Amino acid sequence: MEGFELFSVSLIKNDFLEFLCNNIVYNYFLREDSITANRDTLHEIRRINDLFKLLERMVAFRFAEQEVCTLEQRAALNRKIAMLTVDTLLNLYYDGWNAAEVEDVCRTDFRSMGLYPLPLRNYSFKYRLFAILSNSFLGIKLLRKILPYQKPQKR
């Protein structure tokens, strides 16, 4: 996962042309023993640690490249980082973290990386709603109540 996420960031930074086609250029197969499918505690911890490392690398990349990036590239990179932050938070909820633990991660780890509070941008309706709720402890408690303890399977 980390390689693909960083590759897409480098595409944004280097202005590669994106286009739609009918060919499959990236495909992910869900395996029973993959780190994303395995529900045991060791795999959950590793998955979350990998997401945190990826966020740290992307924030460092953003800082290192801020002088040479265009406004559009910076906006795209900020959106990518914000969405990955939301994905990390969702994984914490799906892995069963309680509201106090999630708030602690937000106020310590994410804040130290400049990722919290989440930016209130109109990336999508779901993103904006999630950001509004995640930026307060009451909202975090509400999210903990309504989000499932396992990631919903794609159909």
Side-chain angles (χ1 to χ4, degrees):
M1 176 179 74
E2 182 174 338
F4 179 73
E5 293 290 344
L6 291 174
F7 174 74
S8 64
V9 167
S10 69
L11 286 178
I12 292 168
K13 196 271 180 194
N14 293 311
D15 272 343
F16 282 90
L17 179 64
E18 293 182 41
F19 59 94
L20 297 175
C21 64
N22 291 328
N23 299 331
I24 298 173
V25 293
Y26 176 78
N27 201 0
Y28 180 78
F29 294 97
L30 188 62
R31 297 186 337 265
E32 285 183 30
D33 59 339
S34 77
I35 191 170
T36 57
N38 199 316
R39 301 297 309 168
D40 73 35
T41 305
L42 184 61
H43 282 89
E44 288 177 357
I45 291 169
R46 181 171 171 212
R47 187 171 48 248
I48 295 299
N49 285 337
D50 287 351
L51 283 168
F52 275 98
K53 287 179 194 171
L54 177 59
L55 276 169
E56 287 171 350
R57 289 182 66 187
M58 289 177 78
V59 168
F61 178 84
R62 176 177 63 184
F63 181 75
E65 300 293 326
Q66 68 185 350
E67 296 299 321
V68 294
C69 286
T70 65
L71 286 175
E72 293 83 13
Q73 290 169 329
R74 274 186 255 157
L77 187 54
N78 287 337
R79 180 182 177 139
K80 183 76 174 169
I81 291 171
M83 294 302 229
L84 189 60
T85 304
V86 167
D87 188 48
T88 304
L89 282 170
L90 283 170
N91 275 287
L92 296 177
Y93 288 116
Y94 296 148
D95 288 347
W97 291 41
N98 66 42
E101 292 169 325
V102 173
E103 184 192 34
D104 186 53
V105 166
C106 289
R107 297 202 183 277
T108 56
D109 300 322
F110 286 164
R111 182 167 278 151
S112 71
M113 288 188 271
L115 303 175
Y116 188 81
L118 292 173
L120 298 178
R121 301 277 189 264
N122 290 321
Y123 298 141
S124 71
F125 174 76
K126 287 181 182 179
Y127 170 84
R128 182 144 177 103
L129 181 61
F130 190 87
I132 290 168
L133 291 173
S134 295
N135 287 342
S136 72
F137 184 62
L138 187 58
I140 289 172
K141 286 176 74 168
L142 179 62
L143 285 167
R144 174 63 284 162
K145 294 276 188 205
I146 62 176
L147 289 172
Y149 281 86
Q150 283 191 16
K151 187 172 188 171
Q153 294 296 317
K154 292 183 180 178
R155 297 176 194 214

